[in-house]
Amino acid sequence: MSFQQVPPNISPLIPDNAPFSPDQRSWLNGFFAGLLSLQGEAQGLQPIDAATALGQEVSNDPLDDGDDGEAPWHDMAMPMDERMDLAQERPLRRRMMAAMAQQDCGQCGYECEIYANKIFLGEEERMNLCAPGGKATTRMLKKLALEIADETVVETQIEPAGALGYSREQPVEISFLGSHLLNKEGSQKETVHIDFDLRDAGIDYAAGDSMGIFAENSPALVDHILERLALDPAQEISGTRLKDILREKKCLGEAPDELFEALVPLASNPEDKKNLSEMAEGNDPHGDLETLDVLGVFEKFPTLMINAEQLLGCLEDLQPRLYSISSSPKAKHGHLSLTVDVVRYAVKDRSRHGVASTYFVDHLAKGDKIRAYIQKAHDFSLPVDEKTPVIMCGPGTGIAPFRSFMQDRAADKCSGASWLFYGHQREACDFFYQEEWAAYQERQQLTRLSTAWSRDEGQPKTYVQDVMRKQGADVFEWFEKGAHFYICGDASRMATDVDNTLKDIIAEHGKMSGPAAKDYLAAMVKSGRYQKDVY
């Protein structure tokens, strides 16, 4: 069977998401196009758009591409190649969404679909905003963006930046009040409670919201880079000192592909050129690509030099860090708290630090001003009906929004039942806000508290999903009574494990098949009864 070609002046009739193979779609499009062309010629008419010929309404909206909106790639643990395979027949903007590590974590300042659509429409040029996806997502988005020129995209009005204090484009200044350590002696973690004063900032928030913080790089790290490259810290670039640009504006963490690309022509050693070229493509000839920061690249290639303009041209902008808020404005107006793990580790005998977490504890003093904004929650909020029972699952710093929830419910004197699952390494030293949970229980505001400890001496490793499974009958009973389930924490591991555990609980105690249990949980998601704040 031969295939007819669709005439260039007739749009395809069979959409890309129709249940046909590419060859079948090609034949059907050609067949119907031929009929329409013959009909037009017989009547002495100019060829017309196929959709118009069939009486279909023609849309000028570039996002109106007939896609069904389904997202089978929405699995936080799914590898990139599997996500892209699932999306290969979908429109470009949907493939961009599949390239993102998860849906709607808010780290980029958008929901995933909105972020993908804005890149597609040319309203967002930054491809590196997906924090959970990291380099893999950035690379895939840049690759997909090359196809945009081949798509027919109409000009749209770019939306203005969000209101002052409620978007990364328009942060405000807030006052740092201080921090204190939450871990007790014997802990292998460093987690801090941080307080801010919002009273002069003109912003407010609600339980479930997050705060974006514009942190600064360590002055010591900036000094090391300037010294290694023999650059003048006082050199002015567009009216700003180089040292200040590196500290406040540029990401000095994971080395971007563009840095390796920029260094290839500057290398005189053929082996260095070869290795840098491979690394620019994401290949890892020495097994250390994922651990190299900007300074690490120049330590690895000690003879390479680069001038200030070249360096700044290939570094990515320093992005704000997003944290779940661990307080409620109903408890103390004009006050906001965060619960933050301080990141410190070593790579090849050199100390490395998390940008924002160490900025809080090592570089800020009481009264210092920092730039910040409120990120309103994407479908992560308490039920409207205060009698609705809630189940909250937040291991480690995932406890943050649930402290906010409990403060909120206590202030409103909610009568609905509440159940908290909390887990960490050691009960004696890693039980964050233990006294507060005890007080809520004593006042019968926290109905039930279930804990899991993975490193208690002499005890088996126990995680929140293990405790949840043991108490599965009660969990399902709460579900049947209309309870809302919330989870906060690591997306790729913990949240996936909890998700799978919930399906098992529903199947076992609801006496359902695996697919039926999956549908039950999906229905909870659709109705807003299963909400996630994961990263």
Side-chain angles (χ1 to χ4, degrees):
M1 180 182 296
S2 63
F3 295 96
Q4 303 180 58
Q5 295 297 315
V6 182
N9 54 357
I10 295 183
S11 299
L13 285 169
I14 308 301
D16 288 344
N17 62 338
F20 302 108
S21 69
D23 283 348
Q24 289 171 326
R25 280 199 303 274
S26 176
W27 190 89
L28 288 169
N29 277 320
F31 174 76
F32 286 119
L35 287 179
L36 291 167
S37 295
L38 288 173
Q39 181 183 16
E41 290 173 7
Q43 297 176 4
L45 302 174
Q46 293 294 320
I48 59 175
D49 181 89
T52 304
L54 292 184
Q56 298 174 355
E57 183 178 346
V58 178
S59 172
N60 289 323
D61 184 355
L63 301 182
D64 186 9
D65 49 24
D67 187 78
D68 58 14
E70 293 298 316
W73 51 76
H74 185 196
D75 181 342
M76 292 161 283
M78 187 180 293
M80 175 68 76
D81 57 349
E82 292 183 25
R83 296 204 301 272
M84 299 316 297
D85 283 346
L86 287 173
Q88 63 179 337
E89 297 295 329
R90 305 290 284 277
L92 176 57
R93 66 186 184 89
R94 303 296 293 180
R95 283 183 280 137
M96 287 181 167
M97 188 175 175
M100 298 168 189
Q102 63 194 62
Q103 287 192 50
D104 306 334
C105 72
Q107 294 280 326
C108 65
Y110 305 112
E111 295 180 24
C112 290
E113 183 171 11
I114 295 174
Y115 182 32
N117 289 347
K118 283 185 175 291
I119 294 174
F120 174 70
L121 293 172
E123 297 176 4
E124 176 59 80
E125 296 180 352
R126 295 168 294 182
M127 310 281 179
N128 64 331
L129 300 186
C130 184
K135 257 188 179 178
T137 292
T138 298
R139 286 175 182 144
M140 183 55 70
L141 288 177
K142 288 179 178 178
K143 179 180 178 181
L144 292 170
L146 296 176
E147 300 180 31
I148 291 177
D150 298 327
E151 296 275 354
T152 302
V153 178
V154 299
E155 297 254 344
T156 58
Q157 183 67 37
I158 297 178
E159 296 179 12
L164 184 64
Y166 295 92
S167 74
R168 62 167 62 204
E169 288 79 17
Q170 295 206 74
V172 293
E173 285 193 337
I174 63 174
S175 296
F176 176 74
L177 295 178
S179 65
H180 66 266
L181 188 66
L182 288 173
N183 315 89
K184 297 176 182 176
E185 186 177 353
S187 177
Q188 294 182 341
K189 295 286 188 175
E190 182 183 358
T191 307
V192 291
H193 174 92
I194 306 169
D195 291 306
F196 299 95
D197 186 348
L198 306 183
R199 287 176 297 179
D200 296 329
I203 57 175
D204 204 353
Y205 65 98
D209 290 347
S210 299
M211 169 156 275
I213 297 289
F214 285 85
E216 297 179 358
N217 290 306
S218 161
L221 176 60
V222 172
D223 289 343
H224 285 315
I225 292 174
L226 291 169
E227 182 180 356
R228 162 63 184 81
L229 296 174
L231 296 174
D232 179 5
Q235 178 182 349
E236 288 202 355
I237 309 289
S238 300
T240 304
R241 294 192 315 161
L242 176 59
K243 182 174 183 176
D244 294 335
I245 296 174
L246 290 176
R247 183 175 182 189
E248 301 170 8
K249 302 295 185 183
K250 291 299 180 179
C251 178
L252 304 180
E254 191 174 37
D257 296 341
E258 289 79 2
L259 177 59
F260 299 108
E261 292 174 4
L263 291 174
V264 172
L266 301 178
S268 57
N269 184 301
E271 187 65 21
D272 286 348
K273 281 184 178 289
K274 176 177 177 294
N275 288 331
L276 288 164
S277 296
E278 287 192 36
M279 296 166 88
E281 295 296 324
N283 300 318
D284 196 356
H286 301 123
D288 60 355
L289 181 60
E290 297 305 315
T291 65
L292 286 177
D293 63 354
V294 172
L295 178 58
V297 172
F298 292 105
E299 290 177 335
K300 182 179 181 67
F301 299 95
T303 62
L304 287 180
M305 302 297 284
I306 191 171
N307 66 39
E309 290 80 3
Q310 291 170 322
L311 177 65
L312 296 180
C314 60
L315 295 183
E316 295 176 344
D317 290 339
L318 186 60
Q319 300 296 333
R321 269 51 174 180
L322 200 65
Y323 293 96
S324 302
I325 298 171
S326 59
S327 59
S328 167
K330 295 178 182 179
K332 188 176 181 181
H333 181 69
H335 174 271
L336 182 147
S337 299
L338 302 179
T339 304
V340 177
D341 271 337
V342 181
V343 178
R344 305 183 196 272
Y345 59 103
V347 176
K348 293 186 177 179
D349 299 325
R350 179 161 71 84
S351 296
R352 301 273 287 273
H353 309 100
V355 176
S357 62
T358 56
Y359 176 62
F360 293 138
V361 299
D362 295 344
H363 305 297
L364 289 180
K366 184 176 181 180
D368 283 352
K369 302 285 188 179
I370 66 170
R371 292 184 302 140
Y373 63 96
I374 299 297
Q375 176 76 54
K376 302 305 292 183
H378 293 305
D379 300 321
F380 194 79
S381 58
L382 285 165
V384 175
D385 185 351
E386 58 93 17
K387 295 180 181 178
T388 302
V390 296
I391 303 176
M392 303 165 285
C393 177
T397 56
I399 200 68
F402 305 130
R403 182 175 184 264
S404 174
F405 278 11
M406 288 306 301
Q407 287 186 357
D408 213 71
R409 288 169 67 87
D412 289 342
K413 296 181 171 54
C414 289
S415 60
S418 56
W419 186 352
L420 173 65
F421 285 90
Y422 173 74
H424 211 312
Q425 292 190 344
R426 296 173 175 82
E427 182 176 11
C429 51
D430 298 317
F431 199 162
F432 302 157
Y433 308 113
Q434 182 177 7
E435 295 78 10
E436 294 183 31
W437 307 127
Y440 286 131
Q441 284 189 289
E442 186 177 342
R443 296 195 297 264
Q444 298 183 336
Q445 292 167 325
L446 179 60
T447 311
R448 193 161 175 174
L449 175 65
S450 300
T451 58
W453 311 104
S454 62
R455 300 293 188 277
D456 269 349
E457 194 171 335
Q459 300 296 323
K461 288 185 178 181
T462 305
Y463 300 96
V464 286
Q465 62 267 24
D466 301 321
V467 177
M468 202 172 291
R469 195 180 296 274
K470 289 179 181 178
Q471 301 175 11
D474 292 344
V475 170
F476 184 72
E477 182 181 349
W478 280 51
F479 283 173
E480 289 290 275
K481 292 179 178 179
H484 285 215
F485 186 87
Y486 300 87
I487 185 170
C488 178
D490 174 71
S492 60
R493 297 183 296 273
M494 183 277 298
T496 300
D497 291 340
V498 168
D499 199 73
N500 290 332
T501 298
L502 290 178
K503 292 172 188 173
D504 292 343
I505 287 172
I506 293 165
E508 178 182 355
H509 300 285
K511 303 190 185 318
M512 302 179 196
S513 65
K518 184 177 180 181
D519 290 343
Y520 184 104
L521 200 60
M524 287 185 62
V525 172
K526 189 172 183 178
S527 65
R529 289 180 52 210
Y530 181 16
Q531 300 182 22
K532 301 178 182 180
D533 178 9
V534 291
Y535 38 84

